[in-house]
Amino acid sequence: MDKIVIMLYMLFFTTTMKAQQQLNNYVKEGLTSNLGVKQLNADYSKALWTLKEVKRMYGPNLDAVASYTHTFKEGIAIPAADSTNALSVGLHKMLEQSNSGLIKDGKIYFPLPQQYMAGVQLTQTVYSAELHYNRDMKEAGTQQAKARLEDFKISLEADIRSAYFQYLEAYYVEIATAEGMDIAVKNLHSVENQISAQKATKEALYKSRANVSLVATKQRNADNALLKAQYYFNFLLNRNMTADINIDSAYVFDPLKHYSLQTDETSKEHQYQLDNIRYMEMATGSQMKMLNANKLPQVQFSTFAGLQTQGFSESNAQRPMIQMKLSLKWNLFNMGVNNAKYKEAEMQQQSIQQQFGQEQQQLLLNEKTAYRDVSTQLNNYASVNDSYINAEVYYKAVEEKFQLGMAGILDITDAENQLLQANIDRQKWYYDLQMKTASYLKSTGKTISIL
């Protein structure tokens, strides 16, 4: 017996999940097609590329460099080289072979009148605390962009579900109103027949016609609500406003079904509305460390390999050269500005910490109030359903008496309106309940279901 119950339960659960696939597909479509999602996706992609840019700053820079320098300066006369003096001859040869000067027509030109330089230069950062904390700041900013995207997706899913239930409510309220119109028109014909048989007077006809007009007004309002719900739902999915919306059989109200509440206890890596603030705090902390890092030197290594000469010549073998340099860079006169920026960041971090605590309390409040809204709405079902059952029984009794001439036009129109309103209220109760589950998701980031 227990196995049969389990099998029936599994069959029901599988059928329900399959039926719910229609709404789930709409949610998936919205999470990819919505313009807000696309914008935040672009922001996240941009943040990822910014992080890659910062990380690549750790790597070496290899540049091809070339320059030409012309100096407008008269040469300085020097004595001619004395062939009998080895020191004088050696000095002239050294000047001729070096790049530091040029001897021409008995004059020395220093620096060289024209100089070419071409080669490659390699630069590598050896140590930069500022660069390290800048990377941490960009990484936290990337995670913050991702958290904003996830928050928006959760909120959008709630909006899509709520808009879908709003559409279904308008759809079935329109059907209920159409049924009410059928009843009103039927009773109008009955009044007309009674007048023809001289069983009713003219005032009954006017009252019945007025009731038909009243129901027609409700029907037009229902049609308008349905169209607006259709437009809004398709807007969220970035579709044509008049695109058809399929009915998910899992969300059709069944008066014979017993509805219950189930919360989703599945833990999620993403903390709704909190991760965004947490990564904002991390980014601010890294900014403070980066500002402090300005007090430390930056160590950089660079090397140059190439040619430095007055003119390019294959026979000039001494011109190729390699230079290496290790440099330390200290900004000693920017401490006041950095201190002010540090204090600003410190105040901002304190504000963010307070915002985080406030958001935690707000989410806890949202969860309690949203859950109470759902559970209270669920508990209202007995009253709503009893109201419909009583209105239906009352209408049938009054209609029977009306056909027999034992009830007046006021009785039958009152019974009509009570039945119509009770039918509408029952549909609204169910879809308002579903909309409250969507509101619970939007308020808390957690899922709650009606089974």
Side-chain angles (χ1 to χ4, degrees):
M1 183 65 181
D2 291 340
K3 291 183 178 180
I4 295 175
V5 173
I6 293 174
M7 289 178 63
L8 290 174
Y9 175 79
M10 292 182 66
L11 178 62
F12 169 77
F13 182 76
T14 304
T15 304
T16 302
M17 290 302 294
K18 184 176 181 180
Q20 291 176 348
Q21 193 62 33
Q22 181 61 65
L23 176 55
N24 292 336
N25 287 339
Y26 280 136
V27 171
K28 290 179 182 178
E29 180 183 350
L31 293 181
T32 55
S33 63
N34 182 269
L35 295 178
V37 171
K38 290 182 178 181
Q39 179 183 347
L40 290 175
N41 263 323
D43 291 343
Y44 179 50
S45 298
K46 178 183 176 182
L48 287 174
W49 281 109
T50 302
L51 180 60
K52 288 182 180 180
E53 176 188 353
V54 172
K55 287 182 177 179
R56 287 173 181 173
M57 290 180 180
Y58 281 92
N61 291 329
L62 184 63
D63 301 310
V65 295
S67 66
Y68 167 74
T69 306
H70 189 93
T71 303
F72 296 91
K73 184 178 180 181
E74 288 294 327
I76 302 173
I78 60 172
D82 185 357
S83 58
T84 63
N85 189 328
L87 180 62
S88 175
V89 173
L91 178 61
H92 277 74
K93 287 185 177 180
M94 181 186 72
L95 290 173
E96 288 174 352
Q97 294 176 359
S98 71
N99 276 334
S100 59
L102 171 69
I103 296 178
K104 184 178 180 181
D105 300 329
K107 295 181 179 181
I108 181 171
Y109 293 88
F110 181 83
L112 292 172
Q114 59 182 7
Q115 187 172 6
Y116 300 90
M117 185 179 72
V120 291
Q121 179 171 300
L122 177 71
T123 306
Q124 173 65 58
T125 299
V126 178
Y127 173 78
S128 175
E130 180 181 1
L131 184 60
H132 171 74
Y133 293 123
N134 185 39
R135 182 197 63 184
D136 291 347
M137 185 174 69
K138 299 301 182 184
E139 192 164 357
T142 301
Q143 293 300 322
Q144 184 185 356
K146 182 180 179 181
R148 284 198 301 267
L149 175 60
E150 293 301 319
D151 285 347
F152 185 82
K153 284 184 175 180
I154 291 173
S155 179
L156 177 61
E157 178 180 350
D159 288 340
I160 291 173
R161 290 181 177 275
S162 181
Y164 186 72
F165 296 137
Q166 186 176 358
Y167 172 81
L168 293 185
E169 178 179 300
Y171 179 82
Y172 286 107
V173 165
E174 185 188 44
I175 292 176
T177 309
E179 292 173 353
M181 175 60 77
D182 291 340
I183 293 174
V185 171
K186 184 186 72 172
N187 289 328
L188 174 60
H189 293 330
S190 296
V191 170
E192 290 173 343
N193 292 333
Q194 288 182 1
I195 292 176
S196 298
Q198 297 183 348
K199 293 182 179 180
T201 56
K202 287 284 187 180
E203 61 268 19
L205 177 63
Y206 297 138
K207 175 60 180 175
S208 185
R209 286 177 178 175
N211 192 58
V212 170
S213 298
L214 178 63
V215 177
T217 300
K218 291 184 178 180
Q219 195 168 23
R220 283 190 293 271
N221 291 337
D223 292 340
N224 183 49
L226 180 62
L227 282 175
K228 291 197 296 183
Q230 181 184 15
Y231 296 159
Y232 180 62
F233 180 78
N234 286 322
F235 162 77
L236 290 177
L237 271 62
N238 195 26
R239 304 197 308 172
N240 187 294
M241 295 289 185
T242 58
D244 292 335
I245 302 174
N246 297 325
I247 303 298
D248 195 327
S249 59
Y251 298 104
V252 177
F253 171 66
D254 183 359
L256 301 178
K257 186 177 178 181
H258 175 72
Y259 293 100
S260 60
L261 194 60
Q262 179 179 347
T263 55
D264 184 6
E265 302 297 337
T266 305
S267 59
K268 298 180 181 179
E269 294 183 4
H270 174 71
Q271 286 190 294
Y272 184 61
Q273 300 293 351
L274 294 179
D275 281 352
N276 177 33
I277 304 176
R278 181 182 290 111
Y279 288 119
M280 191 189 307
E281 181 184 359
M282 291 174 61
T284 305
S286 297
Q287 182 185 9
M288 294 167 62
K289 293 177 181 178
M290 185 179 70
L291 291 169
N292 267 335
N294 284 328
K295 301 175 183 177
L296 302 174
Q298 295 183 8
V299 183
Q300 196 174 63
F301 170 78
S302 63
T303 180
F304 171 83
L307 299 174
Q308 185 175 2
T309 180
Q310 298 179 60
F312 295 102
S313 172
E314 294 182 0
S315 62
N316 200 349
Q318 66 178 358
R319 298 311 184 191
M321 58 176 290
I322 296 178
Q323 288 181 333
M324 294 184 182
K325 181 172 66 173
L326 188 67
S327 61
L328 278 75
K329 181 181 178 182
W330 243 313
N331 190 342
L332 301 176
F333 297 99
N334 203 29
M335 300 302 296
V337 174
N338 282 338
N339 288 337
K341 290 182 177 179
Y342 183 87
K343 287 297 182 182
E344 291 175 15
E346 189 177 37
M347 295 298 103
Q348 182 181 1
Q349 189 178 49
Q350 292 177 6
S351 175
I352 293 172
Q353 289 171 349
Q354 294 171 355
Q355 182 183 354
F356 185 85
Q358 183 179 7
E359 188 62 34
Q360 278 185 314
Q361 294 297 320
Q362 185 66 54
L363 286 171
L364 182 61
L365 175 63
N366 290 347
E367 185 173 358
K368 289 184 176 298
T369 55
Y371 184 86
R372 288 298 308 166
D373 287 343
V374 176
S375 59
T376 300
Q377 181 73 5
L378 182 63
N379 292 334
N380 286 337
Y381 177 63
S383 301
V384 173
N385 196 45
D386 286 346
S387 177
Y388 175 79
I389 293 173
N390 291 329
E392 186 179 31
V393 172
Y394 176 69
Y395 172 75
K396 289 180 179 179
V398 173
E399 183 191 24
E400 185 177 352
K401 290 183 178 180
F402 180 73
Q403 296 298 335
L404 297 174
M406 299 172 61
I409 187 62
L410 294 178
D411 297 322
I412 191 63
T413 53
D414 178 63
E416 285 178 27
N417 293 329
Q418 283 191 38
L419 179 59
L420 173 58
Q421 191 60 48
N423 194 12
I424 291 175
D425 289 345
R426 194 166 61 162
Q427 295 293 338
K428 284 188 172 183
W429 168 85
Y430 177 70
Y431 293 109
D432 284 350
L433 175 65
Q434 295 290 358
M435 279 187 271
K436 289 183 186 298
T437 64
S439 179
Y440 182 88
L441 173 63
K442 190 178 181 70
S443 299
T444 66
K446 299 179 180 179
T447 304
I448 193 168
S449 305
I450 303 298
L451 299 178

